[in-house]
């Protein structure tokens, strides 16, 4: 059960506007892991049908950990919610740089999800809107933009600055990405307990910086 202290769930006003444009399928995309010094960057893509009501959905940073876990379970086990996760590990981040790795992860999450979206009865080439957290559109989606409400394109893409605190589907994706990454960091903690990844999740806290100074990088 969700803690009653969670932030109020985001409304879906944005989606009502897009429904008027015949965008019946809305996909939210977000990532977790651009700020840490260790661990992967994880992106999630999520579609929640308009008639599916899930309370407590909000920016993952505004939701307590126990509630994030509860919402993750609801989102990933609901028979009508579609989602996908893409992970770029530390080697991939070093090869691409963190910005490009985050873009690649978001691209990957959408590509994984897209096949199942196309199977939805409400989906057609002009009825999918992709909402992306932040000001940038990942490379494989960059040809689509907020003006692409055209019957001849498979989907429209709209980047939304601070979208995880504005758009329901992006917030849902943020929760899936955050919990997925946290679980990876818990696994890393078991493997390298002296770095205490379970406490800081790889972010540059004083505790983490001290551990790096004492033990070096993993």
């Amino acid at each position: 059960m969700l803690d009653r202290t969670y932030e109020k769930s985001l409304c879906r006003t944005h989606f009502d506007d897009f429904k008027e444009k015949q965008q019946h399928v809305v996909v939210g995309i977000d990532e977790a892991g651009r700020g840490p010094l260790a661990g992967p960057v994880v992106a999630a893509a999520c579609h929640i049908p308009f008639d599916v009501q899930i309370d407590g959905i909000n920016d993952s940073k505004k939701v307590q950990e126990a509630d994030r876990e509860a919402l993750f379970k609801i989102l990933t086990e609901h028979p009508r919610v579609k989602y996908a996760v893409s992970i770029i590990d530390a080697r991939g981040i070093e090869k691409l740089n963190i910005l490009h790795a985050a873009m690649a992860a978001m691209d990957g999450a959408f590509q994984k999800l897209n096949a199942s979206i196309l199977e939805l009865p409400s989906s057609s080439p002009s009825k999918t809107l992709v909402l992306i957290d932040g000001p940038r559109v990942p490379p494989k989606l960059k040809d689509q933009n907020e003006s692409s409400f055209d019957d001849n394109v498979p989907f429209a893409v709209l980047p939304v600055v601070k979208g995880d605190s504005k758009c329901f589907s992006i917030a849902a994706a943020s929760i899936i990405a955050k919990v997925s990454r946290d679980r990876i960091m818990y696994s890393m903690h078991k493997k390298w307990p002296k770095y205490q990844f379970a406490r800081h999740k790889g972010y540059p806290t004083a505790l983490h910086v001290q551990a790096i100074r004492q033990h070096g990088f993993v």
Side-chain angles (χ1 to χ4, degrees):
M1 180 177 293
L2 296 179
D3 189 324
R4 292 297 94 185
T5 61
Y6 66 71
E7 290 282 334
K8 183 179 179 181
S9 183
L10 292 179
C11 69
R12 305 187 77 167
T13 304
H14 293 81
F15 301 114
D16 293 336
D17 294 339
F18 295 129
K19 284 174 71 177
E20 294 178 2
K21 296 183 175 72
Q22 300 302 307
Q23 305 300 308
H24 293 170
V25 174
V26 176
V27 174
I29 302 177
D30 198 8
E31 53 75 26
R34 284 186 60 179
L37 301 176
V41 60
V42 177
C46 184
H47 163 64
I48 304 175
F50 293 109
D51 58 343
V52 172
Q53 301 298 319
I54 300 177
D55 292 332
I57 298 295
N58 208 321
D59 177 359
S60 63
K61 298 183 291 295
K62 298 179 179 179
V63 181
Q64 295 182 11
E65 183 172 5
D67 290 338
R68 286 198 304 266
E69 287 284 345
L71 288 166
F72 179 89
K73 180 177 176 62
I74 293 170
L75 289 166
T76 58
E77 295 182 1
H78 196 290
R80 296 185 59 210
V81 172
K82 304 294 183 182
Y83 76 97
V85 173
S86 179
I87 301 169
I88 305 293
D89 63 14
R91 289 184 180 180
I93 293 172
E94 290 176 359
K95 180 180 179 180
L96 297 172
N97 80 42
I98 186 59
L99 173 60
H100 290 157
M103 294 294 102
M106 289 195 283
D107 264 332
F110 177 73
Q111 300 306 324
K112 289 180 180 180
L113 180 62
N114 194 35
S116 60
I117 290 297
L118 293 176
E119 296 174 358
L120 294 173
S122 61
S123 181
S124 70
S126 63
K127 293 184 180 179
T128 299
L129 174 71
V130 183
L131 300 173
I132 300 174
D133 183 57
R136 299 179 178 87
V137 176
K140 292 181 180 178
L141 295 171
K142 67 181 180 181
D143 291 336
Q144 310 302 326
N145 55 54
E146 64 268 31
S147 63
S148 296
F149 295 100
D150 188 311
D151 290 344
N152 297 317
V153 297
F155 46 80
V157 181
L158 180 61
V160 184
V161 175
K162 296 185 179 179
D164 50 5
S165 62
K166 298 176 182 177
C167 300
F168 187 87
S169 62
I170 295 179
S174 78
I175 291 170
I176 295 173
K178 170 64 175 171
V179 174
S180 296
R181 187 181 185 279
D182 282 357
R183 292 180 178 185
I184 293 172
M185 299 312 296
Y186 284 126
S187 295
M188 288 180 62
H189 176 83
K190 292 179 180 179
K191 189 172 183 179
W192 297 289
K194 60 187 178 183
Y195 288 92
Q196 301 190 57
F197 289 124
R199 293 183 60 183
H200 52 68
K201 310 301 190 299
Y203 285 87
T205 63
L207 179 65
H208 189 194
V209 172
Q210 181 182 1
I212 293 173
R213 286 172 176 167
Q214 289 179 342
H215 309 295
F217 287 96
V218 173

